[in-house]
Coordinates of all heavy atoms in Angstrom, one line a residue:
R149 N -17.9 -4.0 -5.8 CA -16.8 -3.1 -6.0 C -16.2 -2.6 -4.7 O -15.0 -2.3 -4.7 CB -17.4 -1.8 -6.8 CG -17.6 -2.1 -8.3 CD -17.8 -0.8 -9.0 NE -19.0 -0.2 -8.7 CZ -20.1 -0.3 -9.4 NH1 -20.1 -1.0 -10.5 NH2 -21.3 0.3 -9.0
D150 N -17.0 -2.6 -3.6 CA -16.5 -2.1 -2.4 C -15.5 -3.1 -1.7 O -14.8 -2.9 -0.8 CB -17.6 -1.8 -1.4 CG -18.5 -3.0 -1.0 OD1 -18.5 -3.9 -1.8 OD2 -19.1 -2.9 0.0
K151 N -15.4 -4.3 -2.3 CA -14.5 -5.4 -1.9 C -13.2 -5.4 -2.7 O -12.4 -6.3 -2.5 CB -15.2 -6.7 -1.9 CG -16.3 -6.9 -1.0 CD -15.9 -6.9 0.5 CE -17.0 -7.2 1.4 NZ -16.6 -7.2 2.8
G152 N -13.1 -4.4 -3.6 CA -11.9 -4.4 -4.4 C -12.0 -5.2 -5.7 O -13.0 -5.7 -6.0
L153 N -10.8 -5.3 -6.4 CA -10.8 -6.0 -7.7 C -9.9 -7.1 -7.7 O -9.7 -7.7 -8.8 CB -10.4 -4.9 -8.8 CG -11.4 -3.8 -9.0 CD1 -10.8 -2.6 -9.7 CD2 -12.6 -4.3 -9.8
G154 N -9.3 -7.5 -6.6 CA -8.4 -8.6 -6.6 C -7.0 -8.4 -7.1 O -6.3 -9.3 -7.5
L155 N -6.6 -7.1 -7.1 CA -5.2 -6.8 -7.6 C -4.3 -6.4 -6.5 O -3.0 -6.4 -6.7 CB -5.3 -5.7 -8.6 CG -6.0 -6.0 -10.0 CD1 -6.2 -4.7 -10.8 CD2 -5.2 -7.0 -10.7
G156 N -4.8 -6.0 -5.3 CA -4.0 -5.4 -4.3 C -2.8 -6.3 -3.8 O -1.7 -5.9 -3.7
L157 N -3.1 -7.6 -3.5 CA -2.1 -8.5 -3.0 C -1.1 -9.0 -4.1 O 0.0 -9.3 -3.8 CB -2.7 -9.7 -2.3 CG -3.4 -9.4 -1.0 CD1 -4.0 -10.7 -0.4 CD2 -2.5 -8.7 0.0
S158 N -1.6 -9.0 -5.3 CA -0.7 -9.4 -6.4 C 0.4 -8.2 -6.6 O 1.5 -8.5 -6.9 CB -1.4 -9.6 -7.7 OG -2.1 -8.5 -8.2
I159 N -0.1 -7.0 -6.4 CA 0.8 -5.8 -6.5 C 1.8 -5.9 -5.3 O 3.0 -5.6 -5.4 CB 0.0 -4.5 -6.5 CG1 -0.7 -4.4 -7.8 CG2 1.0 -3.3 -6.3 CD1 -1.7 -3.2 -7.9
V160 N 1.3 -6.2 -4.1 CA 2.1 -6.4 -2.9 C 3.3 -7.4 -3.2 O 4.4 -7.1 -2.9 CB 1.3 -6.8 -1.7 CG1 2.2 -7.2 -0.5 CG2 0.4 -5.6 -1.2
K161 N 2.9 -8.5 -3.7 CA 3.9 -9.6 -4.0 C 5.0 -9.1 -4.9 O 6.2 -9.3 -4.7 CB 3.2 -10.8 -4.5 CG 4.2 -12.0 -4.8 CD 3.4 -13.1 -5.4 CE 4.4 -14.3 -5.8 NZ 3.7 -15.4 -6.4
R162 N 4.5 -8.4 -6.0 CA 5.5 -8.0 -7.0 C 6.4 -6.9 -6.5 O 7.6 -6.9 -6.7 CB 4.7 -7.4 -8.2 CG 4.1 -8.5 -9.2 CD 3.2 -7.8 -10.2 NE 2.8 -8.6 -11.3 CZ 1.8 -9.4 -11.3 NH1 1.0 -9.6 -10.2 NH2 1.5 -10.1 -12.4
L163 N 5.8 -6.0 -5.7 CA 6.7 -4.9 -5.1 C 7.6 -5.4 -4.1 O 8.8 -4.9 -4.0 CB 5.8 -3.8 -4.5 CG 5.0 -2.9 -5.5 CD1 4.1 -1.9 -4.8 CD2 5.9 -2.2 -6.5
C164 N 7.2 -6.4 -3.3 CA 8.2 -7.0 -2.4 C 9.4 -7.6 -3.1 O 10.5 -7.5 -2.7 CB 7.5 -8.1 -1.5 SG 6.4 -7.4 -0.2
E165 N 9.1 -8.3 -4.2 CA 10.2 -8.9 -5.0 C 11.1 -7.8 -5.5 O 12.3 -7.9 -5.6 CB 9.6 -9.7 -6.1 CG 8.9 -11.0 -5.6 CD 8.1 -11.7 -6.7 OE1 8.0 -11.1 -7.9 OE2 7.6 -12.8 -6.5
L166 N 10.5 -6.7 -5.9 CA 11.2 -5.6 -6.5 C 12.1 -4.9 -5.5 O 13.3 -4.5 -5.8 CB 10.3 -4.5 -7.1 CG 10.9 -3.4 -7.9 CD1 11.5 -3.9 -9.2 CD2 9.8 -2.4 -8.3
L167 N 11.7 -4.8 -4.2 CA 12.4 -4.2 -3.2 C 13.2 -5.2 -2.3 O 13.8 -4.8 -1.3 CB 11.5 -3.4 -2.3 CG 10.7 -2.2 -2.9 CD1 9.8 -1.6 -1.9 CD2 11.7 -1.2 -3.5
D168 N 13.3 -6.4 -2.7 CA 14.1 -7.4 -2.0 C 13.5 -7.6 -0.5 O 14.3 -7.7 0.4 CB 15.6 -7.1 -1.9 CG 16.2 -7.1 -3.3 OD1 15.8 -8.0 -4.1 OD2 17.0 -6.3 -3.6
I169 N 12.2 -7.5 -0.4 CA 11.6 -7.7 0.9 C 11.1 -9.1 1.0 O 10.4 -9.6 0.2 CB 10.4 -6.7 1.1 CG1 10.9 -5.3 1.1 CG2 9.6 -7.0 2.4 CD1 9.8 -4.2 1.1
E170 N 11.4 -9.8 2.1 CA 10.9 -11.1 2.4 C 9.5 -11.0 3.1 O 9.4 -10.4 4.1 CB 11.9 -11.9 3.3 CG 13.3 -12.0 2.8 CD 14.2 -12.7 3.8 OE1 13.7 -13.3 4.8 OE2 15.4 -12.5 3.7
M171 N 8.5 -11.6 2.4 CA 7.2 -11.5 3.0 C 6.7 -12.9 3.4 O 6.9 -13.9 2.7 CB 6.2 -11.0 1.9 CG 4.7 -10.9 2.3 SD 3.6 -10.4 1.0 CE 3.8 -11.7 -0.1
E172 N 6.1 -12.9 4.6 CA 5.5 -14.1 5.2 C 4.0 -13.9 5.4 O 3.6 -12.8 5.8 CB 6.2 -14.6 6.5 CG 7.6 -15.0 6.3 CD 8.2 -15.5 7.7 OE1 7.4 -15.6 8.6 OE2 9.4 -15.7 7.7
F173 N 3.2 -14.9 5.1 CA 1.8 -14.7 5.2 C 1.2 -15.9 6.0 O 1.5 -17.1 5.7 CB 1.1 -14.7 3.8 CG -0.4 -14.7 3.8 CD1 -1.1 -13.6 4.1 CD2 -1.1 -15.9 3.6 CE1 -2.5 -13.5 4.1 CE2 -2.5 -15.9 3.6 CZ -3.2 -14.7 3.9

Side-chain angles (χ1 to χ4, degrees):
R149 284 193 291 264
D150 60 339
K151 294 293 185 181
L153 295 160
L155 292 172
L157 290 182
S158 63
I159 291 173
V160 166
K161 180 182 177 183
R162 285 170 164 88
L163 290 180
C164 282
E165 293 171 352
L166 189 65
L167 295 179
D168 297 323
I169 295 174
E170 301 173 21
M171 178 182 65
E172 291 182 9
F173 175 77

